[in-house]
Amino acid sequence: MADDLGRRTTRHAVVIGGSLAGLLAARVLAEHAERVTVVERDRYPEGPEARPGVPQGRHLHVLVAGGQQAFDELLPGFLKELGDLGAPKVGVPEDMVQWQNGRWFRRSAATSHYYSGGRAQLEWLVRRRVLADPRVDVVEGTETVGLTGDSARVRGVRVRERGAGKEVRTLEADLVVDASGRSTKAPDWLAAIGAEPPHEETLDTGLAYSTRVYRGPVEDPHSDALGYYIVPNPTQPYGGVVLPLGDGRHLVTFSGLRGDEPPTEEGAFEEYAKRLPHPVLGEWLSRAEPDSPVYGFRQTSNVRRRYDRPGRRPAGFLATGDALCAFNPIYGQGMAVAALSAVALRRALSDPKRTPTTRAVQRALFDASKQAWDISAGADKKMPGARGDAVRPGPLDKVTGWYLGRVAERAPGDPLVGGAFRAALTLSAPLTAVFAPAVARAVLFGPVAQTPQEPPLRRDA
């Protein structure tokens, strides 16, 4: 690292937060620093188990195609290890019964795949790989309470072991990376050392969801689908999804908006399925057995902290993961963006043509999250009751919205349009994929293809 990230070799880097974004950042920083310390509030479980510091950990997580590529780049062989652990691989649209905007998707050949195993399993695998590096240490059961330094440079973090009466101590560092999640206190810490906190963009639909694990039928004579998905939209705000976890278990999630949140009471949870526009999920539930309590989650707003903008901010401090940009989790982008951000960090720090200044590296991290933000915030701003300063339409929103509306009409029945649409949504291709010449011709001049009138419980022949 050079210039304002240190004209000398970085001796010590500290990462605040030991979840996916923090662990993957530590993996990259170990290539440039003599020592990396991860400061984590929780004490890690021994195996692939949920922990309190990941409040959404019991809910649905998918690793989409763009994230898969990034994980394998950072941790070679990672996808094979994930598959060996039994994480289900779901092909879309082939393996899913999906309803969106009043239409069922054809179950044609898969153009994309995602892994739908539990979050705890994936994080445990990452943790095991990253912490095996002797250059990476972790301080568990310890919370960060502030930064040291001044408005010109951050020089370390102030930490305290969790528990009453514990003393605050300082960890000196040449670089501090905030990966503490959407509830980060870094803006306050920066203000406390005389720096300028970032402007926050917010967009909140009030979406809430509840999740329960079920054991599905071992062999379902009614369907060969691996999962089911009812996608909410501005005129139909209820969502529902069933996805496999492996070993015969499935996660079932229902979502609703502010004022009509899905319940966490067991009987009422299944009753909520009746709000969906078709009974297919309720029918699946009737053939399944509950295997867990019901868990609720309510913190689903989109929040982006604009560290990329000019301001009085210190060198030696970066933000990544949800501490930089947190998305509505329903779009399944968080794990992928954590990995894509780590790849961006690696490339920015290793770029032989550019000096890796704090501002330049932070801009690279911002760019890594931009497409996911555009997708999540772009869809959410159309939902009824959306609040926040990011709700305001941009100058091109009307034209882009009209075109993307035609894309959404054709995606369920047109493999070409659907494939481009999924590539963009799964972050494996830029958003411009839906404007490619062949796709644009189909969108602008092609007819809306016929799609199934009822849930396609069998794959296309």
Side-chain angles (χ1 to χ4, degrees), residues 43-51 85 118-128 140:
R43 293 197 178 276
Y44 288 130
E46 289 295 324
E49 302 163 14
R51 58 187 180 89
L85 287 174
R119 158 67 185 250
Q121 179 188 69
L122 186 143
E123 184 180 304
W124 172 74
L125 181 56
V126 172
R127 187 165 69 239
R128 191 175 66 177
E140 299 178 59

Side-chain angles (χ1 to χ4, degrees), residues 21-298:
L23 289 169
L24 294 174
R27 167 72 183 90
V28 171
L29 292 173
E31 300 168 358
H32 299 270
E34 295 174 3
R35 184 165 59 98
V36 181
T37 300
V38 178
V39 180
E40 170 53 44
R41 294 179 78 249
D42 279 349
R43 293 197 178 276
Y44 288 130
E46 289 295 324
E49 302 163 14
R51 58 187 180 89
V54 187
Q56 199 212 348
R58 296 184 183 275
H59 298 273
L60 181 66
H61 284 78
V62 294
L63 181 58
V64 297
Q68 294 168 30
Q69 298 165 10
F71 270 96
D72 245 15
E73 181 175 337
L74 295 162
L75 302 167
F78 180 83
L79 294 182
K80 182 180 184 305
E81 291 184 77
L82 193 61
D84 290 345
L85 287 174
K89 187 177 182 182
V90 179
V92 285
E94 184 174 9
D95 293 331
M96 292 292 294
V97 173
Q98 179 171 331
W99 181 97
Q100 188 168 0
N101 296 319
R103 307 182 69 209
W104 297 101
F105 275 64
R106 283 183 51 202
R107 291 180 57 194
S108 52
T111 62
S112 183
H113 294 80
Y114 54 76
Y115 288 88
S116 65
R119 158 67 185 250
Q121 179 188 69
L122 186 143
E123 184 180 304
W124 172 74
L125 181 56
V126 172
R127 187 165 69 239
R128 191 175 66 177
R129 291 280 301 270
V130 172
L131 298 184
D133 188 330
R135 297 167 295 184
V136 179
D137 296 320
V138 61
V139 180
E140 299 178 59
T142 300
E143 56 188 351
T144 302
V145 297
L147 302 171
T148 63
D150 52 35
S151 60
R153 173 173 285 279
V154 166
R155 301 189 182 280
V157 296
R158 298 169 63 239
V159 299
R160 177 176 58 205
E161 187 178 348
R162 295 184 70 186
K166 301 297 184 179
E167 293 185 357
V168 174
R169 60 190 178 95
T170 296
L171 291 178
E172 295 183 355
D174 302 297
L175 175 64
V176 173
V177 177
D178 178 23
S180 58
R182 66 164 59 230
S183 60
T184 176
K185 301 296 189 296
D188 295 335
W189 300 337
L190 288 168
I193 61 172
E196 182 180 347
H199 169 69
E200 292 189 2
E201 298 174 331
T202 63
L203 197 161
D204 183 10
T205 64
L207 179 134
Y209 53 90
S210 295
T211 297
R212 194 178 196 186
V213 177
Y214 284 79
R215 289 198 171 273
V218 177
E219 293 185 6
D220 192 344
H222 300 85
S223 173
D224 63 5
L226 296 183
Y228 301 80
Y229 190 16
I230 303 295
V231 184
N233 62 47
T235 60
Q236 194 294 112
Y238 300 105
V241 61
V242 177
L243 277 175
L245 287 173
D247 298 328
R249 297 176 303 130
H250 296 72
L251 270 182
V252 178
T253 295
F254 294 126
S255 65
L257 299 184
R258 187 183 296 111
D260 196 7
E261 297 89 347
T264 55
E265 297 79 18
E266 295 186 0
F269 177 79
E270 294 188 4
E271 190 72 13
Y272 199 83
K274 295 179 180 178
R275 286 171 165 77
L276 300 176
H278 193 279
V280 64
L281 263 68
E283 292 168 355
W284 186 92
L285 286 174
S286 71
R287 303 191 296 273
E289 294 293 331
D291 198 44
S292 82
V294 182
Y295 299 97
F297 192 75
R298 303 294 184 260

